[in-house]
Every structure is written in structure tokens, then in C-alpha cells.
Amino acid sequence: MSGRSTKDWQTADAAHYLHPFTDFKSLAAKGSRIITRADGVYIYDNDGNQILDGMSGLWCVNLGYGRQELIDAATAQMHELPFYNSFFQCAHPPAIRLAELLSEITQPQLNHAFFTGSGSEANDTVIRMVRHYWTVLGQPQRKIIISRINAYHGSTVGAASLGGMAAQHGQGGLPIPGVEHIPQPYYFEHDGNLSEHEFGIECARELERRIESVGPDNVAAFIAEPVQGAGGVIVPPDSYWPEIQRICDRHGILLVVDEVICGFGRLGAWFGADHYGVKPDLMPMAKGMSSGYLPIGGVMVSDRVAEGLAEGGEFFHGFTYSGHPTCAAVAVKAIEILRDEKIVERVHDDVAPYLAARWATLAEHPIVGEARTRGLVGAIELVADKGTKARFQPKGKAGEIARDLAVKNGVVMRHVNESLIIAPPLVISRAQIDELVDKASKTLDQTHAALRG
Ligand code: PXG
């Protein structure tokens, strides 16, 4: 669907289309970037410019664009059964097969899948499920879910409440009651003198302190992303997750690992929980589940929680599109491709180490305070002074300048305040990583020049 001029699309867009997470007025003044097609790791705008998609769409097109098998899976399923529900004692093969396949690729305790249409719905499901679970077990007072400042868990009322984004909480009367937020394990911004190891332990102990302050018997669960994505690709110290696991075990609270970004190979393991060696009771997921080709999400549920829920009668929760057959058929195919083409192993053994080595060279740049990766996510911290880590002012400006220059240079990177972040498709080649890093380097030079004025 093309054939109109960019200006024409932009005018219609500004007049009628309310975009997510957008300042409507400033977008209308600027005009949006009209993307019309994509192939492999590249997107193309309406004027034919080729741009390397360093963000996999929105952390989701892990297999790259134009995979014929995914298109064929959707087409075949649409012919056979485009939609049917899973309410009222019904089921259909794609959703059953997807639940079965997810049980195979996730940890042994995770054998039950609840499907949703998105990651936000998956996290709303988590809230309702964990609170209901504890009620069924005779502990209805266990309602509190502990999350983290600057976490992102989605944009519905429940998911945004779980998230720790002050900007989201500032609109619409959030968070809902019973959600607590503890500090994030963001070592680059640590201004004390703890080692990275000590800092990881210290951040995890914040969970223990909060559990104790709200009363251990009132806590239902702790939720966290393995690596914080939208918050700025914040990679916790390696000491963090084992300590979190110990604390959850000690207090018997449920551990919810939000795999919406880290799941399906992004960290070089099937799931972030596998990468960090933790054992979730619930695992919300979406995005890479269908490689972003169709909207689908879900929650993998442990035997412990599923058995509890089974004692509770009807669980009054679900969505029209829970287990949507066409989305499920595409998800099954996307997972089969990851498995059969050994893409997760390739990320672990080859692509992630290569990216890590190339990305690390950016740390030498005069305006870079840190260049980090974990698997196929990465971040660059922009600083005005490498020694003191002082940031450019006003906050966010340097990131925005760099992000806009990156696109002009033919690469999509996202900025979060003063960091530039990437999450390229898992199928990216070494040559394309070189292209990504070269364009990022050029962007840093230009950003430096622009900031010097
Ligand atoms: N959990 C995590 C960890 C996420 O990253 C969600 C839940 C919500 O998923 P849905 O499918 O409801 O969007 C997400 C989504 C960004 C950005 O700017 C990140 C997300 C969504 C939109 C923008 O980095 N992550």
C-alpha cells in the first residue's frame, strides 16, 4: 500500500493517526517517517532510502523481514481456520501446539501457557493470576507485587503500574494499589564506591528490605526484566540475579521474569532466565514469540502455580484473541525456525561475541562513557566528560540529536535519555554488524560536532 507522496502520507497521518508514546503536536510539525517495506535486516522509507534496522522493529523482528515460511504459515492458517476462540471448552490445533512447543523450549517447571495479544496483556494476566493464586491458597492478603524503578512492563493500567516509569505514572492516576518499586541495578549511574559485584548484591538486597518493610506475608511476587530494555538496556551485575533468586526462595514469593524482550534468543539463550540461571514461576512473553509478524503474547506458568489455580474454580480472565489461531500458527513457525536453524546457538557462539567486540571499540570515543552489550542488545552512554561521567545538558538532548543523525546515516537506534540503544535482528551477519558499528561511530562523531556547536 504505497503510491502516495511522503508529504501526502504525512499530512493524512498528522490529521488522523494518534501514534503511541508520541507528542502529537511536535510530530505533526516534524512529520513522521513513512516506512513502506522491509527485507532482511533493512527497512525502506517511502522515498526508497534503505535503513539498517538496529531495533528489530521494536525489539521483535528477530528473524528479520520477509521470511516466507512465516507468511505461508499465516496464509495456510487463514484458509483453514482464521479465527476461533478458546473459551467455552473449545481449543484448536495451533494454540495447543504452541503451548506444547513452549513447554518444550522453556525450563522443566514451566509446562502451562496462557495466551494474550501482547506483552502488556501478559503482565496484566500476571497481576490477576498471582493474586488469585494466593487467594486460592488461603492467603488473600498476599497482594503486593514488587517491581523496579525504570522497569517497563507495558502500557495497560496494570502493566504500566508494574512498570517503574515516572512519566507513565504521571498520567491517568497510576500506579494501581499494591505495587512497590525498588531501585534498579544500573551500575553506570552508581556514584558510590561499591564494586560491580557488591553493587549487584546491594541492589538485590533492596528487595529483601522492601519485603521486610511491607511484611513478607503480604507479598505475592517480584517481577523484573532479565536485562531492562526500554529503560535503557540496563545489564545487571552478574551477582544480582542469583541473590534475587535466593531472596524469593527464602520468602516463598513468586518470581516473575518478564521475557518480552529477552525471550526467544536475544541474550544468546532461549530465555533471559536461562542466561542468568534463575527459575521463574511465571514468564510473560510476546514480541519475538512470532518474530513480530503477528501480535501474540502469553505467560508461561509453572506446575506449582497451575496446580494452585486448578483448585480455584473458574479463573475469570481472558481475551477474545487469547491463542488466536493465525497468530499461534505463525508463532509455532517462528519458534521452529529458531530451533531448526540453531539461531539461538549462533547468537551465543558467534554473533553476540562479534557484536560485543565491535561495540566495545565505541567506548574509545570522546563522548562515550560506556559501551555495553549482552547478547544482541547494546547501549552507549553519552557523556560530556569521560572522567566524571557528567552528562550533556539539557537531559535527553544529546540522545535525541544522536538518534536523528543515526537515521540520516542509515541506521535505526533508539535513545533513552542519554543513551543510545540497539537490539538488531538475531539473523544479522558479521558484515551487517560492521555496517551498524561504522554508522554508529560516524553518528557519534557528528553528534560530538553538533554538541560543540
Ligand atoms: N514487557 C517488556 C519487558 C517490554 O519491553 C512489554 C512488556 C509490553 O509489551 P506490548 O506488547 O504490550 O508492547 C514490553 C514492550 C521502547 C518500547 O520504546 C518497548 C516496548 C514497547 C514499546 C516501546 O523501547 N516494550
Side-chain angles (χ1 to χ4, degrees):
M1 196 189 295
S2 192
R4 286 160 73 175
S5 74
T6 301
K7 185 92 207 106
D8 194 17
W9 282 123
Q10 286 172 330
T11 305
D13 179 52
H16 303 294
Y17 185 12
L18 299 178
H19 295 220
F21 279 84
T22 295
D23 175 337
F24 304 135
K25 227 177 182 175
S26 89
L27 181 68
K30 239 172 143 179
S32 38
R33 196 174 314 118
I34 310 295
I35 305 303
T36 46
R37 66 186 186 87
D39 187 28
V41 300
Y42 296 100
I43 57 171
Y44 296 83
D45 70 16
N46 198 50
D47 301 314
N49 295 307
Q50 185 192 61
I51 308 168
L52 174 60
D53 186 3
M55 282 306 300
S56 305
L58 204 48
W59 321 81
C60 53
V61 187
N62 292 355
L63 295 173
Y65 300 94
R67 287 296 303 228
Q68 191 61 42
E69 304 94 315
L70 299 180
I71 299 163
D72 292 344
T75 309
Q77 189 57 45
M78 281 203 183
H79 280 294
E80 202 157 312
L81 181 73
F83 175 77
Y84 202 70
N85 69 71
S86 306
F87 289 54
F88 319 127
Q89 299 174 36
C90 294
H92 38 70
I96 300 169
R97 178 63 194 132
L98 180 58
E100 184 179 51
L101 191 54
L102 286 167
S103 302
E104 286 164 24
I105 63 167
T106 54
Q107 293 178 15
Q109 78 279 12
L110 300 169
N111 288 311
H112 315 271
F114 190 100
F115 293 120
T116 67
S118 69
S120 298
E121 289 174 8
N123 282 322
D124 275 41
T125 299
V126 162
I127 297 174
R128 301 204 54 203
M129 208 177 246
V130 301
R131 289 178 171 176
H132 181 55
Y133 167 78
W134 285 114
T135 302
V136 172
L137 260 65
Q139 300 186 55
Q141 82 290 349
R142 277 197 192 258
K143 292 240 166 11
I144 295 174
I145 302 175
I146 302 178
S147 177
R148 303 183 298 184
I149 294 163
N150 199 37
Y152 189 79
H153 295 296
S155 199
T156 50
V157 169
S161 295
L162 288 181
M165 299 276 176
Q168 278 190 304
H169 292 175
Q171 297 173 337
L174 305 183
I176 58 168
V179 182
E180 297 276 326
H181 296 91
I182 59 171
Q184 57 183 333
Y186 192 2
Y187 189 59
F188 184 74
E189 295 227 313
H190 171 58
D191 54 10
N193 45 20
L194 297 180
S195 70
E196 187 166 354
H197 178 86
E198 290 164 347
F199 179 75
I201 302 277
E202 183 55 26
C203 287
R205 297 258 165 95
E206 295 275 359
L207 172 61
E208 190 138 54
R209 285 194 277 277
R210 190 62 62 94
I211 291 171
E212 276 155 11
S213 78
V214 299
D217 292 345
N218 297 321
V219 181
F222 172 68
I223 182 168
E225 304 152 77
V227 168
Q228 282 158 265
V233 180
I234 293 161
V235 181
D238 285 338
S239 56
Y240 181 77
W241 272 108
E243 185 64 5
I244 289 285
Q245 177 82 65
R246 182 194 69 73
I247 294 165
C248 290
D249 289 347
R250 173 159 180 241
H251 295 279
I253 68 170
L254 299 171
L255 175 59
V256 184
V257 179
D258 183 339
E259 297 278 2
V260 170
I261 283 180
C262 295
F264 303 99
R266 183 141 298 278
L267 300 188
W270 271 95
F271 292 92
D274 305 334
H275 175 78
Y276 283 111
V278 293
K279 212 174 150 201
D281 297 293
L282 293 132
M283 223 164 69
M285 52 183 61
K287 293 192 190 271
M289 198 167 162
S290 65
S291 206
Y293 277 52
L294 285 176
I296 185 164
V299 185
M300 281 310 285
V301 179
S302 64
D303 294 334
R304 166 191 175 189
V305 174
E307 282 158 19
L309 290 171
E311 299 305 313
E314 182 169 350
F315 179 40
F316 298 105
H317 178 70
F319 307 100
T320 302
Y321 298 133
S322 287
H324 189 295
T326 307
C327 303
V330 171
V332 166
K333 184 48 79 179
I335 295 167
E336 285 174 352
I337 292 173
L338 280 176
R339 188 191 58 193
D340 298 347
E341 296 185 5
K342 299 203 179 330
I343 290 173
V344 183
E345 291 86 336
R346 185 178 155 267
V347 169
H348 180 271
D349 297 343
D350 182 47
V351 195
Y354 189 72
L355 175 69
R358 290 296 332 265
W359 195 252
T361 62
L362 298 173
E364 287 151 30
H365 197 279
I367 61 166
V368 175
E370 180 174 270
R372 58 178 179 268
T373 63
R374 185 57 69 118
L376 283 196
V377 290
I380 298 169
E381 298 280 358
L382 299 175
V383 290
D385 184 322
K386 277 171 99 83
T388 63
K389 298 190 196 168
R391 301 291 196 171
F392 291 103
Q393 298 300 329
K395 192 178 171 204
K397 182 164 165 249
E400 199 176 322
I401 291 173
R403 189 267 323 270
D404 290 348
L405 285 167
V407 175
K408 283 205 184 93
N409 290 328
V411 61
V412 177
M413 299 198 275
R414 211 166 97 40
H415 87 99
V416 178
N417 298 321
E418 299 299 284
S419 54
L420 280 177
I421 60 178
I422 54 158
L426 307 189
V427 295
I428 193 168
S429 67
R430 283 180 171 224
Q432 289 160 343
I433 288 175
D434 290 341
E435 181 187 341
L436 172 66
V437 175
D438 290 347
K439 286 180 170 170
S441 174
K442 181 176 170 193
T443 299
L444 290 168
D445 290 343
Q446 293 170 343
T447 304
H448 193 193
L451 288 165
R452 269 195 311 232

